[in-house]
Amino acid sequence: MARISPDQLRSLPPDSAIQFDSQGHLRHFLTISGVPREALTQILDTAESFMTFGEREIKKVPLLRGKTVVNLFFEASTRTRTTFELAAKRLSADVINMNAARMSTSKGETILDTVRTLEAMHTDLFVVRDSASGASHLIARHLPEYVRVINAGDGRHAHPTQAMLDMFTIRQKKGGFEGLKVAIIGDILHSRVARSQIHALATLGVDEIRVIGPRTLIPTEIESMGVTVTSNMSEGLRDIDVVMMLRLQRERMDGQLVPSEQEYFSQYGLTEEKLQVADTKAIVMHPGPINRGLEIASSVADGDRSVILSQVTNGIAVRMSIMATLMGGTEAVR
Amino acid sequence: MSIVIQGGRLIDPKNNVDMITDIAIENGEILAIGSLPQNFKPTQIIDASNKLVLPGVIDLCARLREPGEEQTATIASETKAAASGGITRLVCQPDTWPVIDTPAMANMIRDRADASGYAQVHPLGALTVGLLGEKLTDMAMLTEAGCVGVSNALNAVESTLVMRRALQYASTYDIPVFLAPQDPWLTGNGVVHEGEVSTRLGLPAIPEAAETVGVARDIAVIETSGARAHINLLSCGRSVTMVAEARSHGLAVTASVAIHQLIFCESDIGAFNTLFKVVPPLRERTDKEALLDAVRDQVVTVICSDHQPHGDDVKLAPFSEAAAGISGLETLLPLTLGLAEQGHFSMQDAIAALTWHPADIIGIDAGHLSVGATADVCVFDPALDWTLTVDEMESRGKNTPLMGQKMKGRATHTILAGELIFSRSN
């Protein structure tokens, strides 16, 4: 696994530093921010070597044999949890799924109490999802050094494994990142996926990242992350190579952030017609689950340009790669 | 008890004094400054050479957690922490449990503070019953019971009509009203300043407008009510401009800033460090600079600790769920004088912001070292190097982002009404 230099280690963004041990090895995977291009590329390369496993008769490798992985989901999830579970099982780990409810106050069992209890059972790797930004950082900070943490989504902050499977899919379909124009469309404000995608795309060196949405769904000073902002789809999609749609949570449709579903679809819903200005070979992505007819037309979601199902398939290999990387087992794969 | 403090540099901004001299204290009062009466026989001699002799610090905003959260801290523990930080008097907010909205509650708090024998506590009464923003409290009776002002703490008074009437009613009795102008709708569930940090960390944000809208509304209502208002804990540079304009038109409005707003800004939050979670939130570097300038320009005339002791567990939570506030009694004086030493404002202004300006706002005769005045005195060693550690802190709340850091300058003696309530050897 690629190491980062002591100089790089010192200049990391504050929310990234905790991911590296003193030798510069990646030990947690909490945010893409600060993870260098070589490390991201290596994760993608390793994932590629895992891709064929799913098609084999015996789908397992013994890289994590004897290790215990706990999927600790404080927030509901089906596809992310399932793919993590499959990924861990294909690496021969013992997997426990915990769908835990927790109190959001100091009373009752806190998030750390839960984690420490599970750690006392000698867990090697936690996969954590929580509705609060920074929850996986909190957990990583308070676990012994040998326990690894993967962030499977924390509030609005980061969802790095989703971003990595998106990067894998882009590289698979486009051959690389150089020269690509990418648009991220929808509710950027509440989206951990968008934040991680932006970090990943910027690190991997795409040509341009545009974010598109109404001003109510664009966070302030997002330009500081290296993107350009537009509220106009025909302008934002012009000559675009990759279209990354975001899910619009229906609970946001309370008439304050977006006036109505009809209005939103008319302005930002991805249709064949709006896609006409994109590059002829543009691909369409979506992290799922899809709101058909709200953010994307069925004809596009199911159409030729859509790579949405590839994203799901790729998710398993990418998560295997990240788990193996953190557990130091990637050498055996090559 | 009679005390002589010898050879210290006495700084008393109210009387415009800054000189090396002796000060004699007897029967709770300042007996003499400079040449002492020949028959004066002190029971205690304090050598203050190379030290500062200041009026006791008056902190306009502190939480003591009693009643209601005695498991976290008590009046006894926090007034002792105050005394060890050179603070002789502090004003506590009414958002205890139960709320200080009856004379009985105000009396109880004063009695408990008196029994502990450390810093004196001046409670604020609630502005509205239960801090609910609906019905006015018995303000005149609360004042008679020792409340030095009224406040709705951090709870918004949503109805502008209730706010106007509360201010009008308070003005009837010339009761100072402490305001925390934050628009509740714009604040929402926000936990950090709306800016680059909130965007990167994905934390719910509080825009600058939450404060400026609140300040604008409150200033407009103050104008029509004639009340004496104190805007507590400004966080934005633009609010400073609004307060400056109101003051330039002769409006009786004063403002304070928490010391942490002069030291830190949003980027210090780093990786979700909950020790930097405060209300109002830390804002941008330019806001911090504007607040420092506001102290220099005497727009903001009070610096307070905004002391909020917490147990460790309530800070060990995801940022948005962690408790807000910093334990700040013991660092208020060294940090403020440190900023003066760095040249952000004068030493006189720094000390005035901690002594007679706050005394003036709450209408007590304190915060100065005049002959015949109540002897509230702090002796401060500006050269004392120390490290802030858990063991060094008297407060039960160890929640400070300065933990482990080297500090310069520390109170060595604290005298309240002529009694030595705290002294530090070496």
Side-chain angles (χ1 to χ4, degrees):
Chain A
M1 178 66 205
R3 283 167 54 172
I4 65 168
S5 69
D7 274 351
Q8 283 176 311
L9 208 51
R10 272 189 293 275
S11 59
L12 286 172
D15 61 331
S16 183
I18 190 176
Q19 304 184 102
F20 297 90
D21 65 19
S22 55
Q23 306 298 308
H25 291 292
L26 201 59
R27 60 171 171 165
H28 303 302
F29 200 58
L30 309 181
T31 173
I32 305 267
S33 170
V35 182
R37 185 189 292 199
E38 309 79 67
L40 296 184
T41 304
Q42 218 169 73
I43 287 169
L44 298 180
D45 292 346
T46 305
E48 208 157 296
S49 68
F50 285 132
M51 275 302 282
T52 52
F53 279 74
E55 293 147 23
R56 294 187 195 168
E57 187 91 350
I58 308 289
K59 295 186 171 64
K60 286 198 177 193
V61 277
L63 287 174
L64 264 58
R65 181 185 288 160
K67 304 286 186 190
T68 303
V69 175
V70 171
N71 282 329
L72 187 55
F73 279 62
F74 292 108
E75 189 185 73
S77 154
T78 314
R79 83 178 57 198
T80 303
R81 207 211 64 211
T82 310
T83 51
F84 265 112
E85 183 177 353
L86 264 176
K89 284 182 169 165
R90 288 188 184 166
L91 292 168
S92 311
D94 297 319
V95 186
I96 308 289
N97 289 317
M98 293 275 300
N99 290 332
R102 68 178 179 89
M103 311 287 286
S104 64
T105 66
S106 58
K107 295 176 186 67
E109 193 177 55
T110 68
I111 187 166
L112 281 181
D113 288 333
T114 307
V115 169
R116 283 172 174 150
T117 304
L118 292 164
E119 193 275 318
M121 301 170 193
H122 303 292
T123 300
D124 298 287
L125 170 68
F126 283 99
V127 177
V128 181
R129 167 171 289 193
D130 192 87
S131 59
S133 300
S136 53
H137 281 72
L138 176 76
I139 289 168
R141 205 175 298 132
H142 290 93
L143 283 173
E145 213 172 288
Y146 51 84
V147 183
R148 304 286 182 255
V149 179
I150 293 176
N151 181 5
D154 65 323
R156 309 174 184 179
H157 173 240
H159 194 351
T161 63
Q162 174 69 43
M164 286 308 289
L165 74 88
D166 294 338
M167 297 307 113
F168 187 90
T169 308
I170 292 173
R171 195 174 79 163
Q172 186 182 47
K173 305 294 178 191
K174 289 288 174 189
F177 300 94
E178 211 169 300
L180 290 184
K181 293 178 172 54
V182 184
I184 304 173
I185 298 159
D187 182 2
I188 316 288
L189 179 64
H190 300 96
S191 177
R192 54 194 172 210
V193 174
R195 284 176 177 78
S196 286
Q197 286 171 337
I198 291 168
H199 285 305
L201 291 165
T203 305
L204 290 167
V206 298
D207 197 42
E208 195 185 342
I209 309 167
R210 303 175 197 164
V211 300
I212 311 175
R215 294 301 314 190
T216 45
L217 299 179
I218 304 286
T220 176
E221 295 185 42
I222 185 80
E223 294 87 351
S224 69
M225 293 177 74
V227 303
T228 56
V229 179
T230 173
S231 294
N232 182 311
M233 283 285 267
S234 59
E235 186 186 309
L237 289 177
R238 187 160 306 277
D239 302 326
I240 214 81
D241 299 296
V242 179
V243 183
M244 308 183 87
M245 301 303 295
L246 297 172
R247 177 177 162 78
L248 185 69
Q249 306 274 345
R250 285 194 189 259
E251 57 265 31
R252 310 269 182 236
M253 303 291 303
D254 57 1
Q256 290 187 356
L257 292 165
V258 174
S260 71
E261 295 191 10
Q262 293 79 359
E263 168 101 348
Y264 186 82
F265 187 75
S266 78
Q267 297 300 308
Y268 302 101
L270 191 65
T271 58
E272 299 284 0
E273 197 187 351
K274 291 198 185 98
L275 267 173
Q276 300 235 316
V277 294
D279 185 84
T280 49
K281 296 196 197 89
I283 57 170
V284 173
M285 307 175 72
H286 193 297
I290 301 170
N291 291 312
R292 289 168 186 270
L294 175 53
E295 66 240 0
I296 188 165
S298 280
S299 58
V300 177
D302 305 328
D304 295 342
R305 297 167 184 266
S306 170
V307 297
I308 295 169
L309 287 176
S310 299
Q311 288 174 271
V312 179
T313 310
N314 296 341
I316 300 166
V318 169
R319 284 170 176 134
M320 285 171 76
S321 165
I322 292 164
M323 286 180 172
T325 299
L326 298 185
M327 303 297 282
T330 55
E331 305 306 324
V333 186
R334 309 243 177 94
Chain B
M1 194 175 212
S2 56
I3 302 172
V4 63
I5 305 169
Q6 291 179 332
R9 179 181 165 197
L10 188 151
I11 307 179
D12 177 7
K14 187 179 185 189
N15 293 311
N16 199 21
V17 171
D18 184 349
M19 61 179 181
I20 292 173
T21 187
D22 299 338
I23 175 168
I25 295 165
E26 196 171 59
N27 297 328
E29 293 181 352
I30 295 173
L31 178 69
I33 292 169
S35 55
L36 309 185
Q38 298 216 323
N39 58 352
F40 180 64
K41 294 276 180 290
T43 53
Q44 180 146 15
I45 298 170
I46 296 171
D47 176 11
S49 43
N50 301 318
K51 293 180 182 173
L52 307 180
V53 179
L54 314 171
V57 173
I58 300 169
D59 185 354
L60 277 196
C61 189
R63 302 290 199 295
L64 309 175
R65 302 298 180 217
E66 181 179 352
E69 285 183 81
E70 287 88 345
Q71 75 278 17
T72 302
T74 62
I75 289 173
S77 72
E78 302 316 288
T79 53
K80 187 177 183 189
S84 80
I87 299 167
T88 47
R89 296 166 188 274
L90 45 81
V91 172
C92 69
Q93 293 282 330
D95 55 353
T96 47
W97 184 256
V99 169
I100 308 175
D101 56 5
T102 58
M105 280 299 299
N107 282 325
M108 189 205 80
I109 285 176
R110 290 174 56 230
D111 288 348
R112 290 203 186 171
D114 288 347
S116 72
Y118 296 108
Q120 187 162 352
V121 177
H122 298 281
L124 291 179
L127 185 72
T128 59
V129 174
L131 302 173
L132 297 174
E134 292 162 2
K135 292 171 63 184
L136 309 191
T137 53
D138 299 338
M139 293 181 205
M141 285 164 66
L142 282 167
T143 313
E144 283 163 12
C147 290
V148 292
V150 287
S151 155
N152 223 47
L154 293 171
N155 302 57
V157 178
E158 291 191 4
S159 160
T160 310
L161 181 61
V162 171
M163 179 59 96
R164 182 173 188 223
R165 286 176 173 159
L167 285 160
Q168 283 177 324
Y169 189 80
S171 75
T172 313
Y173 304 97
D174 199 29
I175 301 169
V177 181
F178 280 50
L179 301 169
Q182 299 289 334
D183 180 89
W185 294 279
L186 289 175
T187 301
N189 62 353
V191 292
V192 291
H193 171 64
E194 183 178 87
E196 197 179 326
V197 172
S198 68
T199 292
R200 279 179 179 268
L201 295 182
L203 289 169
I206 304 172
E208 177 188 58
E211 182 166 300
T212 53
V213 166
V215 170
R217 180 193 82 155
D218 287 359
I219 285 177
V221 181
I222 293 163
E223 273 173 350
T224 66
S225 70
R228 218 149 43 89
H230 175 68
I231 298 180
N232 206 20
L233 311 179
L234 288 183
S235 71
C236 301
R238 291 188 61 185
S239 317
V240 170
T241 313
M242 297 160 82
V243 172
E245 203 207 275
R247 282 168 67 90
S248 75
H249 294 148
L251 200 65
V253 59
T254 53
S256 71
V257 63
I259 182 66
H260 51 250
Q261 295 283 1
L262 301 176
I263 307 275
F264 304 119
C265 55
E266 56 163 357
S267 57
D268 289 306
I269 289 165
F272 304 100
N273 188 341
T274 56
L275 291 173
F276 289 97
K277 182 176 178 181
V278 289
V279 178
L282 296 172
R283 296 195 184 268
E284 295 176 18
R285 185 170 301 278
T286 50
D287 291 299
K288 183 179 91 168
E289 284 159 5
L291 290 166
L292 284 165
D293 291 349
V295 176
R296 181 196 65 201
D297 300 341
Q298 298 287 293
V299 175
V300 169
T301 57
V302 173
I303 302 172
C304 58
S305 71
D306 189 23
H307 176 68
Q308 300 215 32
H310 286 297
D312 293 343
D313 54 339
V314 295
K315 286 284 185 184
L316 283 178
F319 196 94
S320 53
E321 294 159 23
I326 292 173
S327 179
L329 290 173
E330 290 156 84
T331 46
L332 173 63
L333 184 54
L335 290 176
T336 304
L337 297 189
L339 289 169
E341 198 170 291
Q342 289 164 29
H344 292 289
F345 35 75
S346 72
M347 194 61 113
Q348 291 273 338
D349 289 345
I351 294 164
L354 297 174
T355 58
W356 78 273
H357 287 157
D360 192 43
I361 286 166
I362 57 173
I364 59 170
D365 183 20
H368 59 94
L369 298 174
S370 316
V371 172
T374 303
D376 293 351
V377 187
C378 161
V379 180
F380 182 84
D381 182 352
L384 204 154
D385 291 316
W386 59 292
T387 303
L388 186 66
T389 62
V390 168
D391 291 342
E392 285 281 333
M393 283 185 83
E394 291 285 348
S395 170
R396 291 259 193 90
K398 313 298 181 188
N399 50 300
T400 164
L402 294 164
M403 189 62 78
Q405 294 208 18
K406 287 203 173 13
M407 308 287 296
K408 193 167 177 65
R410 201 171 194 191
T412 58
H413 301 79
T414 308
I415 296 165
L416 173 69
E419 297 292 322
L420 186 65
I421 57 170
F422 174 81
S423 71
R424 191 185 309 280
S425 52
N426 77 32

